Each structure stands twice: as structure tokens, then as C-alpha cells.
Amino acid sequence: MSNSVSSDLFEIEEPKYNKNISNKQLLMGNYVPPIDRLKVISEDEFEELVEEWIYGYLMQKYEKVQKINKVIRLAGSGDKGRDVVAYREYSKDGKEVWDNYQCKHYKDTLAPSDVWVEFGKICYYTYKGDYSVPQNYYFVSPHGVGTKLSDLLMKPEDLKKGLIENWDKHCLKKISKDEIKLTGEFKSYVELFDFSIFDSINPGELINQHQQTIYFPFRFGGGLTRKPERLSKPVEIKDGEQLYIKKLYEAYSEHKNEEILGFSQLKKFKFLFQHFQRQRTYFYQAESLRIFERDLMPEGLNAFEELKDEVYHGVIDTIYNEYNDGFERIKATTNKASSLVLGSSNLLIEFVDVKDKMGICHHLANEIRKNPDEEEVTWVMNDEQ
């Protein structure tokens, strides 16, 4: 074998890699921009994303202007040219107002030949009276629309002319089982149809607007983009605080060996009053997490309930130890809670601090346990306990 090395071969050095990455990045791999991930998700996932965009962005945007009342997805061959439909409030003349979002999960930009039949379906089924003409009709595609289709969408008369010219090739035998001929009254209907209702949603625009919804991090990752807005405790005790407040008063009463039922009596004891104020601060600190999940995260995650369950099992043995009185039990329990290491998989964990964990103790005390096998979180134990 010759010792000479071919001119098209070269020696390589050991590959370098980025050492300045987090464990999370190491586990998840390189970050893929949402605009690129949009191009590889499945057809069903893409339609789900469009629904999320409508619910999370458009519904908020149009809340005060022709509010969207209902969103439905029509699947299968009987959709009659409708895909994801958003129904708005009725117009002043009582007509139904709706927008259609036609999802086209193609591997390339949309060309006119891809969608002539969609224009034909809308014309045909509105002519028949199966449904009313939509207020707006949008094509939504991971790759967007190509130049030719984009030009036609901006020139409704050219779009109409193109549909008529391409009817026999793309619509005649593809709208229904029967041939749909463009003749007579139907042709006149198409010639008078308002083709300005058709438009498209640019993929970049779709991603930017989806990013403003609660669904974005659950679809594309990257973590929650907003933080909980921390609540301050109100001056007046609210109805929703009554149970844990009652239990605090009972603990203070046991500690001082005299009945304490409210502010005026508690104020006599400086350190107890200060402790009481801190516990209410902690309660509302944790309440911020509950409201954050309720308002800014999709339903069904139960992240706050999972936090409560973790804290419960972390402190319950501490609660049921022996103490001189209920006040000592509170201090031991909240101290134990403050040192708990909670599961890293919880979606709220990055926001949880010491005050949250102590506040959750009072959320637990503010409810009656639904599971009969679990003890109540209380501070004053009677003989039966």
C-alpha cells in the first residue's frame, strides 16, 4: 500500500464541544427554534396549535370587538371546506359571523394548485346554503404560502379569475362525489362572490402571537415566560381565610391560656400579633402561585395541588409530634416546611421560595382533607387526636 496520502483526504482533530451548558440543556439537546419545530410537528399537533392560538391570542384580542364565542374543529371528509372555525357574536342584522382557519400541513409553501379546491368548496357549499359565507377565511400552514398564491390573495379579482379558469381541473370532480359543474346560476354566484375574505397567516406571525399565550411553553418549551404577581395581604380578613385564621386564634389562645377571638385581643401580645401578620403574608404569598396557575396556565395541570400534597406529606409527622401548645406546633411545622426540598418536576417549582412553603401550611390548614386516610392540618390537638 502506498504511503502517499490522497489530496482529497485530510487529518481531523478531536471535535470540540460546548462545555458551558446547563444540565437541562445536556438532557434536552440543542435548542430548536419554534419556527423550525413548527415544520416538523404532526398534522394533528398543528391543528391543536392553531386552536391554542385562537383561544389564547385571538379570543383575548377580540374580547371587546366582536367577541369569539365558540371554536370548533371539523375533522374528516365531511367538513365541507371548513377546518378550525371560530364563531363570533352575531352581526347587527342577525347573521351568523364566523372565521375559518384552514390548516394545510404541507412540506412546502402553498401553491394555488394546492388550494383551488378549497376556494371551490366555500363557493359551492355557501351557494347551496349549507352554511353562511365566513367573514374571514385564512390559510394556515407551517411553511406559509408561496409567491403565486400570496399575489392572488392580494388581488381578489385575479383569484376569482384563476378559480374559474382552473375549475374543471381542480374542482369539478373533487368537491363531492358528484361532478360540480361551473355553469348557470352557480357560475353567476361565483362571479359575484367576494374573494377578499381569503387571506393567510404567516408562520412567523403565528409563532409570535402563539408566544403570547399560556400554551406556548407547553408546546415549544423554554420555560414559563411570566412570573407570579405577588399578592399583598389585605387589611381585612377575607371569607376565604376564615378556617386557617380560626386555627391560628385557637393556637394563640392555648399558648396564652386565654380566649383570643380577633385582632383587638391579639394586639395585646406584640410578638403573637407580629407572628399572625407574617402568617397572613405567607398565605397570600402561596395564594399568588394558585392564582398564577389558574389564570396563566392551561387547565388540568394541578401544579399547586401537587405542591400542597408534597408539603403535606413533608410536614404531617412534624404536626403530630408532642408540643406544649398549638403555637409551638405552628412554629415547628412552618420551620420544617421552609427546609423541604420539593420535586423539581413541578411546573411552579422555579417560583417557590421559603415564604411559599410556609404559606402552603396555612392553605392546608384552610381546608378539610378530602381523603379520610389523611389527618387534618390543625394546631390544637384535643384528647381524641
Side-chain angles (χ1 to χ4, degrees):
M1 182 176 179
S2 173
N3 290 329
S4 62
V5 179
S6 173
S7 61
D8 60 348
L9 298 179
F10 58 93
E11 184 178 356
I12 64 171
E13 297 180 354
E14 180 183 356
K16 305 295 183 183
Y17 55 90
N18 180 14
K19 298 179 181 179
N20 299 315
I21 62 173
S22 65
N23 287 335
K24 184 177 180 181
Q25 288 173 306
L26 193 62
L27 289 170
M28 300 299 293
N30 290 332
Y31 173 72
V32 180
I35 195 68
D36 293 330
R37 293 186 63 181
L38 188 66
K39 298 172 183 177
V40 296
I41 62 177
S42 70
E43 183 175 355
D44 287 342
E45 286 179 304
F46 184 67
E47 291 193 3
E48 289 169 2
L49 182 146
V50 172
E51 291 175 6
E52 294 165 357
W53 167 65
I54 293 172
Y55 272 102
Y57 178 79
L58 292 185
M59 275 191 162
Q60 306 302 318
K61 179 180 179 180
Y62 293 112
E63 187 174 11
K64 297 180 180 179
V65 183
Q66 225 175 17
K67 182 179 178 181
I68 296 174
N69 292 322
K70 181 172 63 175
V71 179
I72 62 172
R73 176 155 53 123
L74 294 98
S77 58
D79 61 14
K80 298 182 178 180
R82 297 161 298 173
D83 211 340
V84 180
V85 176
Y87 290 97
R88 299 175 180 272
E89 295 177 333
Y90 282 83
S91 62
K92 293 180 180 180
D93 57 3
K95 291 183 179 179
E96 185 178 58
V97 179
W98 59 286
D99 296 334
N100 186 64
Y101 297 88
Q102 197 69 19
C103 303
K104 290 297 181 183
H105 192 266
Y106 287 14
K107 294 181 180 180
D108 204 346
T109 55
L110 294 181
S113 58
D114 296 322
V115 293
W116 284 128
V117 68
E118 303 300 339
F119 297 118
K121 287 178 182 178
I122 289 293
C123 290
Y124 176 67
Y125 287 111
T126 56
Y127 169 73
K128 283 182 60 182
D130 287 10
Y131 51 79
S132 61
V133 176
Q135 180 174 259
N136 300 288
Y137 183 113
Y138 299 98
F139 291 105
V140 192
S141 171
H143 295 268
V145 301
T147 303
K148 289 184 178 180
L149 180 56
S150 178
D151 289 344
L152 288 173
L153 291 173
M154 290 190 291
K155 299 177 181 179
E157 290 303 314
D158 289 352
L159 177 58
K160 180 190 302 182
K161 180 181 178 182
L163 175 62
I164 293 172
E165 290 174 351
N166 285 274
W167 189 271
D168 287 350
K169 181 178 179 181
H170 291 280
C171 301
L172 181 65
K173 298 180 180 180
K174 296 181 180 179
I175 291 177
S176 74
K177 294 179 181 179
D178 301 322
E179 287 190 356
I180 307 300
K181 296 181 179 180
L182 189 62
T183 58
E185 290 184 359
F186 178 49
K187 184 177 181 181
S188 299
Y189 177 82
V190 172
E191 290 172 340
L192 293 173
F193 194 90
D194 181 10
F195 281 79
S196 68
I197 67 170
F198 296 103
D199 204 346
S200 66
I201 303 296
N202 180 277
E205 180 184 10
L206 176 64
I207 289 296
N208 288 337
Q209 294 177 357
H210 188 276
Q211 196 168 16
Q212 299 175 48
T213 75
I214 62 176
Y215 305 101
F216 184 83
F218 302 93
R219 177 68 61 182
F220 295 103
L224 297 170
T225 57
R226 294 179 61 177
K227 295 182 179 181
E229 182 178 340
R230 294 304 187 176
L231 300 174
S232 300
K233 66 178 182 296
V235 175
E236 300 294 329
I237 294 172
K238 303 296 184 180
D239 290 342
E241 297 182 77
Q242 295 299 326
L243 184 54
Y244 90 90
I245 293 292
K246 177 177 179 291
K247 290 178 180 179
L248 284 173
Y249 285 154
E250 289 173 351
Y252 298 146
S253 298
E254 186 179 44
H255 180 65
K256 287 298 182 180
N257 198 27
E258 70 173 85
E259 191 172 48
I260 297 173
L261 299 176
F263 264 178
S264 58
Q265 294 164 291
L266 188 61
K267 281 182 177 179
K268 295 189 301 181
F269 309 105
K270 177 181 177 181
F271 294 114
L272 287 185
F273 183 73
Q274 290 174 339
H275 179 270
F276 175 78
Q277 295 289 60
R278 288 198 303 276
Q279 306 321 298
R280 290 193 69 218
T281 295
Y282 301 155
F283 178 86
Y284 277 96
Q285 175 92 4
E287 177 72 354
S288 302
L289 295 179
R290 187 190 70 81
I291 292 175
F292 177 75
E293 178 181 3
R294 182 197 68 189
D295 294 346
L296 295 171
M297 297 170 71
E299 293 183 13
L301 295 175
N302 299 318
F304 186 70
E305 288 300 316
E306 289 176 6
L307 281 179
K308 283 169 54 182
D309 190 61
E310 278 198 81
V311 172
Y312 172 83
H313 288 287
V315 303
I316 193 63
D317 287 338
T318 300
I319 292 173
Y320 278 82
N321 282 337
E322 293 291 331
Y323 301 96
N324 292 330
D325 56 56
F327 181 48
E328 297 301 319
R329 180 171 284 106
I330 293 172
K331 291 191 293 181
T333 302
T334 54
N335 184 58
K336 175 66 176 179
S338 70
S339 64
L340 291 175
V341 178
L342 303 178
S344 60
S345 62
N346 192 289
L347 294 169
L348 291 172
I349 197 64
E350 64 179 298
F351 306 121
V352 176
D353 62 20
V354 169
K355 290 183 286 185
D356 291 311
K357 289 185 278 189
M358 292 192 291
I360 287 174
C361 294
H362 296 297
H363 276 261
L364 292 168
N366 203 45
E367 65 185 17
I368 298 172
R369 301 298 290 179
K370 296 178 182 178
N371 188 338
D373 295 329
E374 295 181 342
E375 297 91 343
E376 182 183 357
V377 174
T378 189
W379 312 126
V380 175
M381 302 292 182
N382 58 39
D383 291 339
E384 293 180 357
Q385 292 171 312

